[in-house]
């Protein structure tokens, strides 16, 4: 059984609703509800509940190449992708000086895509916020780590920018430890072992389904496509977009085998065998759509 969740992030309900809405097929193949881009190797924070707080976690000030991102956008356009494209992952997107151009590029190729970004807001100001929206961003999710005063400040910033309610989400990540810091916690596929807020890897794998690979396409800045956004150790790589196409990676035999195992509750492979994530909160419809192809 999965451990009880102390804090349930209200953003999960929003993501679940989007995922259910974003069930599109291409030649009878379910496309991902979310294409998530971890577009660099760097972040300006090392929060206690993040693997980055572990000694020796390597921060790389490297960023996605425009040509690689354009390749992804073109290939998504070729399959008429209409889901969510999210700049997030293991990094802080606003540290990338090219981020506005990337958003513009995505909007150019993907007219009907929902483009989102998750940021800690540390470098956010009114000018940058307006530029993000003008570049084509639909929704900005601001994770606030330093207290309610900062949350109120970001709320006012969004109001000053005249954003509508659906264009921003303030995420309260400053709650006390007994409320899981305001995050629906997991051990990040075993990578929280040495973090400041330690969560051990599981000694025995969960006997529980997980839908993440059914509805999520997660690409690192170097083109590697990971099985899951919880795989901070980057132990399960399905392919690399520099050498393969989006659809080749999304439908690879390895990915199909993983989806089948996880659908049936089989987590007896790395890194899923040490992961404690509750993987059924989002993506059930996508899992069922894949089952029709088995």
């Amino acid at each position: 059984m999965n451990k009880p969740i102390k804090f349930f992030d209200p953003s999960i309900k929003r993501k679940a609703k989007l995922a259910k809405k974003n069930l599109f097929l291409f030649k009878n193949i379910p496309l991902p509800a979310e294409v998530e881009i971890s577009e660099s190797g760097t972040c300006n924070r090392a929060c206690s509940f993040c693997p980055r707080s572990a000694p020796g976690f390597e921060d790389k000030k490297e960023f996605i190449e425009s040509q690689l991102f354009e390749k992804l956008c073109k290939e998504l356009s070729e399959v008429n992708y209409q889901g969510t494209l999210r700049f997030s992952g293991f990094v802080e997107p606003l540290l990338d000086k090219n981020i506005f151009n990337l958003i513009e590029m995505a909007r150019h190729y993907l007219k009907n895509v929902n483009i989102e970004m998750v940021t800690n807001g540390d470098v956010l100001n009114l000018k940058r916020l307006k530029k993000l929206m003008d570049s084509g961003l639909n929704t900005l999710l601001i994770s606030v780590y330093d207290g309610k005063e900062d949350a109120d400040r970001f709320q006012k910033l969004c109001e000053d920018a005249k954003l509508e309610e659906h264009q921003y989400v303030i995420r309260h990540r400053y709650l006390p430890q007994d409320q899981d810091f305001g995050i629906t916690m997991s051990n990040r596929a075993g990578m929280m072992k040495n973090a400041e807020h330690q969560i051990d890897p599981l000694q025995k794998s969960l006997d529980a389904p997980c839908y993440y690979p059914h509805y999520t396409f997660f690409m690192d800045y170097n083109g590697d496509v990971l099985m899951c956004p919880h795989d901070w150790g980057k132990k399960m790589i399905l392919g690399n977009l520099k050498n393969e196409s989006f659809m080749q990676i999304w439908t690879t035999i390895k990915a199909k085998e993983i989806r089948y195992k996880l659908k049936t509750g089989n987590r007896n492979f790395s890194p899923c065998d040490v992961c404690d994530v509750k993987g059924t909160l989002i993506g059930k419809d996508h899992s069922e759509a894949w089952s029709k192809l088995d």
Side-chain angles (χ1 to χ4, degrees):
M1 294 290 292
N2 290 358
K3 66 178 183 180
I5 295 175
K6 296 180 184 177
F7 180 86
F8 188 85
D9 186 349
S11 295
I12 291 176
K13 292 183 178 180
R14 176 183 175 276
K15 286 183 67 176
K17 185 176 180 179
L18 277 173
K20 189 177 183 69
K21 176 183 176 183
N22 292 340
L23 178 52
F24 298 103
L25 305 180
F26 178 74
K27 296 182 178 179
N28 293 323
I29 297 172
L31 294 176
E34 303 177 356
V35 173
E36 187 168 346
I37 313 297
S38 189
E39 45 68 62
S40 79
T42 188
C43 183
N44 61 309
R45 285 183 177 248
C47 301
S48 64
F49 45 81
C50 174
R52 285 183 173 274
S53 66
F57 189 97
E58 188 175 9
D59 185 79
K60 295 184 178 181
K61 291 179 172 55
E62 301 172 357
F63 302 88
I64 194 169
E65 298 173 354
S66 293
Q67 297 92 328
L68 175 61
F69 186 73
E70 185 173 24
K71 180 177 185 291
L72 174 65
C73 291
K74 284 182 177 179
E75 292 177 358
L76 290 175
S77 177
E78 289 169 2
V79 299
N80 192 29
Y81 185 68
Q82 299 180 55
T84 293
L85 178 71
R86 183 179 299 111
F87 295 95
S88 180
F90 311 140
V91 302
E92 169 50 51
L94 286 181
L95 297 181
D96 188 350
K97 295 179 180 178
N98 195 38
I99 192 67
F100 303 103
N101 293 328
L102 297 180
I103 296 171
E104 287 182 352
M105 186 183 297
R107 180 56 67 211
H108 171 74
Y109 285 103
L110 303 164
K111 307 296 185 187
N112 298 316
V113 160
N114 172 46
I115 305 176
E116 299 185 351
M117 178 188 294
V118 177
T119 177
N120 58 34
D122 286 353
V123 300
L124 190 65
N125 56 31
L126 186 59
K127 181 179 178 181
R128 290 188 179 123
L129 178 54
K130 288 182 176 180
K131 189 174 182 180
L132 285 172
M133 309 315 288
D134 290 344
S135 297
L137 194 71
N138 291 99
T139 304
L140 184 66
L141 295 93
I142 306 173
S143 299
V144 185
Y145 298 111
D146 296 330
K148 187 178 185 303
E149 184 177 332
D150 268 359
D152 293 341
R153 177 172 60 86
F154 284 121
Q155 177 70 34
K156 184 177 185 304
L157 182 67
C158 292
E159 292 173 355
D160 289 346
K162 301 189 185 310
L163 300 189
E164 298 181 20
E165 286 188 4
H166 68 273
Q167 292 181 294
Y168 68 96
V169 178
I170 307 294
R171 309 201 300 179
H172 302 266
R173 304 302 201 220
Y174 50 84
L175 301 183
Q177 182 174 328
D178 63 2
Q179 295 182 50
D180 285 344
F181 309 100
I183 293 175
T184 300
M185 295 288 291
S186 82
N187 66 11
R188 301 300 187 187
M191 288 297 290
M192 290 293 292
K193 181 178 181 180
N194 298 315
E196 185 177 334
H197 177 70
Q198 181 180 339
I199 307 175
D200 288 331
L202 296 183
Q203 296 299 309
K204 181 181 179 181
S205 62
L206 293 176
D207 181 15
C210 181
Y211 303 146
Y212 271 99
H214 295 83
Y215 75 93
T216 304
F217 183 92
F218 185 98
M219 191 176 84
D220 210 359
Y221 68 96
N222 63 356
D224 284 343
V225 176
L226 278 60
M227 173 193 67
C228 173
H230 285 268
D231 184 12
W232 277 72
K234 305 180 182 182
K235 295 178 180 178
M236 180 62 76
I237 296 173
L238 302 177
N240 188 290
L241 199 76
K242 291 182 178 179
N243 309 313
E244 304 156 87
S245 72
F246 163 76
M247 284 302 291
Q248 284 174 330
I249 298 172
W250 182 240
T251 60
T252 184
I253 291 175
K254 182 190 289 189
K256 291 179 179 178
E257 289 176 345
I258 288 170
R259 291 184 189 111
Y260 179 78
K261 287 180 179 179
L262 291 179
K263 177 191 68 174
T264 59
N266 178 2
R267 299 194 184 195
N268 292 312
F269 60 96
S270 180
C272 300
D273 54 347
V274 297
C275 182
D276 67 351
V277 72
K278 186 174 179 61
T280 55
L281 300 177
I282 305 172
K284 182 178 180 181
D285 291 330
H286 280 74
S287 178
E288 292 176 350
W290 278 107
S291 294
K292 294 178 181 179
L293 299 177
D294 293 342

